Amino acid sequence: MRGADKILLSLAALASAAPAHDPKPFSLFEYKTIWQAPPGVRAFYPRLTELKDGTLLVTTGTSGNRSLAGLSSFPVFESKDGGVSWKQVSNITDQVNGWGMTAQPAITEMTQDVGPYKKGTILASGNSWSFNETAEGVGTKIDLYASRDRARTWEFVSNVAVGGRPNTTNGADPIWEPYLMIYDNQLVCYYSDQRDPDHGQKLAHQTSKDLKTWGPVVDDAAYDLYIARPGMTVIAHIETINKWILVYELPIGNSSSYGSNYPVHYRIADSPLEFQSAEPLPIVINKEFAPNASPYVVWSPVGSKKCGTIVVSDADNSQVYTNQACGDVDKWEMHATPQPAAYSRALHIFKKHPDHLMILGGSTFDFDEGDDPNLSASVVSLTEVVKGKYDKKGCDSRR
Ligand SMILES: *[C@@H]1O[C@H](CO)[C@@H](O)[C@H](O)[C@H]1NC(C)=O
Ligand SMILES: *[C@@H]1O[C@H](CO)[C@@H](O)[C@H](O)[C@H]1NC(C)=O
Ligand SMILES: *[C@@H]1O[C@H](CO)[C@@H](O)[C@H](O)[C@H]1NC(C)=O
Ligand SMILES: *[C@@H]1O[C@H](CO)[C@@H](O)[C@H](O)[C@H]1NC(C)=O
Ligand SMILES: *[C@@H]1O[C@H](CO)[C@@H](O)[C@H](O)[C@H]1NC(C)=O
Ligand SMILES: *[C@@H]1O[C@H](CO)[C@@H](O)[C@H](O)[C@H]1NC(C)=O
């Protein structure tokens, strides 16, 4: 036995001696509960951001018996040790509509000053909606909130956009699924938009240089085919080639791609404000499999020298989809992970640990009695995932 092997062996012995429930700060771990959803409630559509000092903030939508559980808001959790331990620090609450913060949260830290708001301010959004006629009417509203005290308290900043009553039928006019990004000294708010009579649904954005007033609606993905419903914008920066990737789901009537009705598509552009002119591409694995619904995307410099690694997640599978060829449509791979499938999982690459991939999950979209309702996460080595560490364990479970 070579010396290095001996050291590895004793390290392995040490690792297995350590209690599995007590990983070290900023270490790797498989499936850890962040928040146990109260009875009748489930965590749905989680989102996260890493602050400049490495603190993680996670928030989540909730579903089920949420108003009775006093949960018509987005709970916010903080971790200072890379996701090993968590505490709830606040709730993001609707302060203006009387409708609650219903679903689809977004959260980000300001990396630049924008208008009167300073770098380090935390911004959050979400969809506040009402099905029923209330004193305030019915509709969907994407509102912006800010926290100047590290997510302890929140102030209403502005309304970005207003749509009709929540209704996913083509011809109705709601808005959905905000995604916030600071870019070029402005805030960009991306969302799904059913208000344009030329499109069942399209993806669009608006920008603001003061967080109060918002520019015109600019298309990011609008298809000539009326019944196409591109939805659920998430964006990442491919730093090595300075390009931007947008991922979205693309249901088109009853059509399917390899059995997926909400196949995941993407576009790569030089500017995150100019996706509409970029080529739309599908993610297809081995010409036989298409990821389905609510995608998320992150980029890591780990992997290929020129391209790093693009990592995408979907709603229906525990796997992630990786691309180390700068998004080449023929170069997607599928790799298993230990984090179960969930509706609108989120991904994160740690700034100081670019090989550490966090997968943040909650409940599935079609929830059955006995399914996991809790907010949870895994942190895995991206290199090991791509090498297939989990591929052989038979967790290739497509639900
Ligand atoms: C989720 O949390 C509940 C408590 O609300 C707990 O009883 C249950 O075991 C948890 N489920 C999983 C899969 O961890
Ligand atoms: C909702 O939650 C409340 C409080 O926990 C409970 O009393 C009620 O029975 C629940 N309703 C449903 C429909 O589950
Ligand atoms: C958040 O809201 C829940 C439900 O109303 C409440 O129990 C909890 O105390 C709140 N937490 C904070 C930090 O405000
Ligand atoms: C509000 O609308 C929902 C969905 O249409 C319906 O199920 C519910 O009964 C309505 N609630 C009230 C108080 O009218
Ligand atoms: C949803 O929108 C469609 C298309 O406009 C409309 O026909 C239907 O009545 C709406 N449903 C509800 C519950 O408002
Ligand atoms: C989908 O299929 C159903 C049932 O066959 C049909 O009624 C409906 O019009 C179809 N919808 C679209 C958008 O093609």
Side-chain angles (χ1 to χ4, degrees), residues 24-27 29 54-56 79-86 350 356 358 379:
K24 290 201 177 63
F26 296 96
S27 59
F29 55 85
T55 300
L56 291 174
S79 175
K80 292 188 161 296
D81 55 11
V84 172
S85 62
W86 295 89
F350 290 75
H356 287 199
M358 173 175 273
V379 178

Side-chain angles (χ1 to χ4, degrees), residues 118-172:
K118 298 292 171 216
K119 188 173 162 175
T121 301
I122 299 151
L123 301 177
S125 185
N127 203 345
S128 174
W129 77 51
S130 170
F131 280 108
N132 307 102
E133 202 59 56
T134 62
E136 297 79 14
V138 295
T140 40
K141 292 189 183 180
I142 293 176
D143 291 330
L144 179 67
Y145 287 84
S147 174
R148 305 177 198 242
D149 57 4
R150 301 177 61 86
R152 268 51 184 182
T153 60
W154 297 90
E155 67 192 65
F156 173 79
V157 178
S158 60
N159 171 260
V160 182
V162 178
R165 182 198 297 260
N167 178 347
T168 54
T169 307
N170 291 335

